[in-house]
């Protein structure tokens, strides 16, 4: 085979040593999986997506359209429902409360869990295993179980009808999950890096901020996204703690709006879709980060 023909053969991606007429295995088209698997996956996707689409599209309809044909598309499309809600100061006030609670809870969960995980993963001390087991056991006790004693504690602290009374418990109940995820990330950091940092004169705090935080960033992003979405969608705790509508978060706002406009189904659907839209957009943008972070935790 000449040099020219060999170069053209290699540039085409074929194997020059392969017998004539035999195709490179890499040139073969990828086989599709079992059609039953795809059908089941599409079925699950449809079950999850269909209610969301119905709520969003329902906001573009009138009550008469919903009553006449609940499953039909809007004809004509109506934007007054969404426009009226977007002009409402009540909606934006509840939106601001949800943003404050979600951001404060996320920052508190990420900062505290990163510190606790660093100690558990990088230090040897008595009761280390018991401390880690305590956080693991916290996964078995959801917020609903402790809502009554938690309400009494918050009441004694004078935080009823206060956003801080929602933020602090969310931070406490968000720590177990984040610690379990972050500890494998911090354990995977080689000891040689810490020893080299110590030789360079870096303190333990310097090693934490300069090396640990950047190296564990995938896990930090993952737990931050999960904490934000969980806080945004939390309904039970604000229901018990917040009394005045001025302090309502969006999940409570949806309930109050549904009770107030129970006869206006289209407007209720519009309010509900706008309330859940930020969490859906946030999750859609960062879903790869979540999967990558959890994969790294499992490998660690």
């Amino acid at each position: 085979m000449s040099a020219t023909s060999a170069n053209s053969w290699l540039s085409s991606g074929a194997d020059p040593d392969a017998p004539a007429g035999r195709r490179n295995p890499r040139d073969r088209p990828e086989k599709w999986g079992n059609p039953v698997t795809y059908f089941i996956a599409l079925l699950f996707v449809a079950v999850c997506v269909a209610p969301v689409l119905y709520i969003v599209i329902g906001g573009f309809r009138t009550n008469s359209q919903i009553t006449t044909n609940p499953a039909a598309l809007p004809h004509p499309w109506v934007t007054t429902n969404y426009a009226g809600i977007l002009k409402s100061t009540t909606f934006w006030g509840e939106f601001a409360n949800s943003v404050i609670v979600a951001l404060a809870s996320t920052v508190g969960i990420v900062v505290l869990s990163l510190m606790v995980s660093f100690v558990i993963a990088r230090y040897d001390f008595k009761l280390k295993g018991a401390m880690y087991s305590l956080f693991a056991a916290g996964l078995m006790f959801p917020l609903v179980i402790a809502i009554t004693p938690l309400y009494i504690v918050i009441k004694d602290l004078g935080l009823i009808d206060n956003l801080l009374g929602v933020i602090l418990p969310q931070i406490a109940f968000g720590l177990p999950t984040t610690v379990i995820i972050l500890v494998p990330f911090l354990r995977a950091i080689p000891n040689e890096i810490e020893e080299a940092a110590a030789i360079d004169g870096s303190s333990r705090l310097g090693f934490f901020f300069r090396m640990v935080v950047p190296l564990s960033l995938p896990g930090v992003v993952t737990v931050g996204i999960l904490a934000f979405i969980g806080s945004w969608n939390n309904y039970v705790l604000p229901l018990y703690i917040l009394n005045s509508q001025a302090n309502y978060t969006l999940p409570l706002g949806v309930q109050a709006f549904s009770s107030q406009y129970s006869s206006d189904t289209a407007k209720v659907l519009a309010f509900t879709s706008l309330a859940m839209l930020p969490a859906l957009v946030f999750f859609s943008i960062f879903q790869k980060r979540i999967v990558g972070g959890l994969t790294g935790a499992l490998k660690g």
Side-chain angles (χ1 to χ4, degrees):
M1 180 180 293
S2 64
T4 304
S5 59
N7 290 334
S8 61
W9 190 274
L10 289 174
S11 62
S12 64
D15 186 1
D17 297 329
R22 181 177 299 178
R23 299 179 62 183
N24 193 319
R26 292 178 297 178
D27 295 336
R28 297 175 183 174
E30 295 184 3
K31 293 183 179 180
W32 285 78
N34 192 339
V36 178
T37 304
Y38 286 96
F39 175 77
I40 296 175
L42 291 175
L43 186 62
F44 276 104
V45 170
V47 170
C48 296
V49 174
V52 177
L53 290 178
Y54 182 84
I55 293 174
V56 174
I57 296 175
F60 290 99
R61 307 170 69 186
T62 61
N63 291 319
S64 60
Q65 292 178 10
I66 296 176
T67 304
T68 304
N69 195 345
L73 291 174
H75 183 74
W77 290 72
V78 178
T79 59
T80 54
N81 296 321
Y82 285 100
I85 293 172
L86 291 175
K87 294 178 182 178
S88 171
T89 56
T90 302
F91 172 80
W92 289 111
E94 294 166 354
F95 180 86
N97 291 336
S98 292
V99 171
I100 293 172
V101 171
L103 289 180
S105 301
T106 300
V107 171
I109 291 172
V110 170
V111 172
L112 293 178
S113 62
L114 188 59
M115 293 180 179
V116 172
S117 301
F118 177 73
V119 173
I120 294 177
R122 311 295 299 186
Y123 288 80
D124 292 325
F125 55 92
K126 292 182 179 180
L127 302 179
K128 172 182 175 179
M131 179 181 292
Y132 187 73
S133 300
L134 182 63
F135 282 103
L139 298 175
M140 298 184 292
F141 295 94
L143 181 63
V144 179
I145 296 178
I147 192 63
T148 301
L150 183 62
Y151 176 83
I152 296 174
V153 172
I154 294 175
K155 183 178 179 181
D156 293 339
L157 293 175
L159 296 178
I160 296 296
D161 199 22
N162 191 319
L163 295 181
L164 196 60
V166 178
I167 294 171
L168 294 179
Q170 285 188 162
I171 293 175
F173 280 88
L175 287 178
T177 302
T178 54
V179 169
I180 297 300
I181 294 176
L182 286 179
V183 166
F185 277 95
L186 303 186
R187 282 178 179 169
I189 298 176
N191 293 327
E192 290 78 6
I193 296 179
E194 187 173 1
E195 294 172 358
I199 294 174
D200 291 339
S202 177
S203 63
R204 288 181 174 178
L205 283 177
F207 171 71
F208 175 79
F209 287 107
R210 296 176 184 175
M211 301 300 298
V212 172
V213 174
L215 291 175
S216 60
L217 192 59
V220 171
V221 173
T222 299
V223 298
I225 295 170
L226 294 176
F228 184 89
I229 296 176
S231 175
W232 187 275
N233 294 328
N234 194 352
Y235 172 76
V236 175
L237 186 60
L239 177 64
Y240 277 80
I241 303 303
L242 305 177
N243 297 326
S244 61
Q245 191 169 4
N247 292 326
Y248 277 4
T249 56
L250 275 178
L252 287 183
V254 171
Q255 181 202 27
F257 191 87
S258 301
S259 301
Q260 185 177 358
Y261 296 93
S262 57
S263 60
D264 195 344
T265 305
K267 186 174 288 187
V268 171
L269 293 177
F271 191 99
T272 304
S273 61
L274 288 176
M276 67 181 179
L277 186 61
L280 290 176
V281 172
F282 194 80
F283 183 82
S284 300
I285 294 174
F286 295 103
Q287 60 177 337
K288 291 184 179 180
R289 292 273 189 172
I290 297 176
V291 175
L294 294 177
T295 303
L298 293 174
K299 290 181 179 179

